[in-house]
Amino acid sequence: MNDAVALTPAGCVAGARPGLAERPELLRLEHVKKRFRGGVEALRDMNLTVNTGDFMSLLGPSGCGKSTALRLIAGLMQPSAGRIEMLSGKGAKHGPDVGPDIGVVFQEPTLMPWARVAENVWLPWRLQGRSYADARDDVLEALKLVGLEKFQRAFPRELSGGMRMRVSIARALVTKPRLLLMDEPFAALDEITRFRLNNDLLALREAIGCTVIFVTHSVFESVFLSDRIVVMGARPGRVIRELEVDAPYPRDEAFRTSATYAAHCREASDALHHAMGEAA
């Protein structure tokens, strides 16, 4: 994603970010529990604080509730117990409409195949009752951020897998959210495309300054992207450990081969192995 423009949503600050200890709280989960109707307890007593400007990865074994936690934060489902609170602004809405304060990128692009790229990106504003004519500048701005402004009239079938995911990211950003939630968005892509989109995501994050919560199974991806890694235990999910990746941004290929990166990967891997051995 080249020639990114500076997009600064409310509550986001482009450019230099304060240190972790200096960031104001944005989101808080207190004693959150989620039990599904079939009796499966996905989360138990999950406590988490997200600060403005964080790039936080949720790392944990399959089935530990990472995606469930993300959907609860988005307001796409209700917790069985506990409290989720946005500490400023309108906060998450419960139901199918997550509201303009939160953008969500799912594991699959989930684009409308019959609609052109620009119409797919317009969708969040359309659900808010805003016409395309009124939202057009926001749509084009979001597409420019992900390097796809020249593909606004293309259909999803005409794009590569990586390009379709970029459209999904643009759709999540079009409302200028304060919080971007990403649920393993690159897991289905080949390694080369995944590395490229990791690089692009960090460049995008530098441009817009948004808070990001990123779900991943990959130790290497979590270390490359994040300044905070939250390791979750096996089901029922809860926070086992938090790690800080103190390497400065921007990060590039040199960081991936550095001793600092390797050390953080070892630490995260050890924490993940411990989490996988946790008894419910």
Side-chain angles (χ1 to χ4, degrees):
M1 292 182 286
N2 298 320
D3 300 321
V5 299
L7 174 66
T8 309
C12 297
V13 180
R17 294 181 302 279
L20 292 179
E22 302 170 350
R23 299 176 187 174
E25 291 185 15
L26 175 65
L27 175 76
R28 185 183 299 149
L29 282 70
E30 296 179 337
H31 306 294
V32 169
K33 176 180 179 179
K34 180 61 179 180
R35 182 184 294 274
F36 292 101
R37 288 184 178 180
V40 174
E41 187 179 15
L43 297 173
R44 178 192 296 171
D45 198 32
M46 183 166 178
N47 297 281
L48 182 66
T49 298
V50 181
N51 299 320
T52 298
D54 282 350
F55 195 121
M56 174 186 288
S57 282
L58 300 183
L59 178 68
S62 295
C64 75
K66 302 183 298 296
S67 295
T68 298
L70 213 68
R71 288 175 177 271
L72 289 170
I73 292 168
L76 297 175
M77 60 176 67
Q78 295 268 11
S80 303
R83 183 177 183 183
I84 300 174
E85 182 181 13
M86 289 282 282
L87 301 181
S88 60
K90 298 177 183 177
K93 297 179 182 179
H94 294 288
D97 175 11
V98 300
D101 277 353
I102 297 178
V104 184
V105 180
F106 297 102
Q107 294 180 21
E108 299 292 335
T110 61
L111 303 178
M112 300 178 293
W114 61 85
R116 298 181 187 274
V117 163
E119 294 166 334
N120 271 283
V121 175
W122 168 49
L123 180 62
W125 277 134
R126 181 182 178 185
L127 294 174
Q128 296 287 327
R130 190 177 178 192
S131 71
Y132 181 79
D134 187 48
R136 183 176 183 276
D137 288 347
D138 287 345
V139 169
L140 295 181
E141 187 176 32
L143 285 171
K144 186 174 182 180
L145 275 170
V146 300
L148 291 178
E149 66 272 24
K150 294 181 181 179
F151 293 87
Q152 60 181 288
R153 293 191 56 78
F155 289 99
R157 64 178 177 272
E158 299 171 330
L159 306 178
S160 68
M163 293 170 75
R164 287 194 293 271
M165 186 54 69
R166 290 188 188 203
V167 176
S168 180
I169 293 171
R171 181 179 60 193
L173 294 175
V174 73
T175 61
K176 301 180 174 65
R178 292 181 300 129
L179 178 62
L180 179 62
L181 307 177
M182 308 187 78
D183 189 3
E184 296 192 84
F186 310 140
L189 301 174
D190 64 85
E191 187 174 18
I192 293 174
T193 302
R194 186 170 182 164
F195 277 15
R196 184 182 301 121
L197 287 176
N198 282 172
N199 294 339
D200 290 347
L201 178 57
L202 287 188
L204 178 62
R205 190 268 186 121
E206 287 296 304
I208 67 176
C210 249
T211 304
V212 181
I213 304 177
F214 189 95
V215 167
T216 182
H217 283 99
S218 171
V219 165
F220 306 104
E221 186 171 58
S222 68
V223 171
F224 183 75
L225 293 174
S226 312
D227 47 28
R228 291 178 66 194
I229 300 174
V230 172
V231 182
M232 294 179 61
R235 186 188 300 136
R238 66 271 189 216
V239 176
I240 297 296
R241 189 175 175 190
E242 290 195 30
L243 308 174
E244 180 180 340
V245 182
D246 55 6
Y249 294 97
R251 298 173 184 170
D252 54 19
E253 297 308 312
F255 176 62
R256 278 198 176 98
T257 58
S258 68
T260 299
Y261 177 73
H264 282 301
C265 287
R266 283 194 297 270
E267 183 182 21
S269 181
D270 289 345
L272 181 59
H273 281 295
H274 173 71
M276 292 173 70
E278 284 281 322

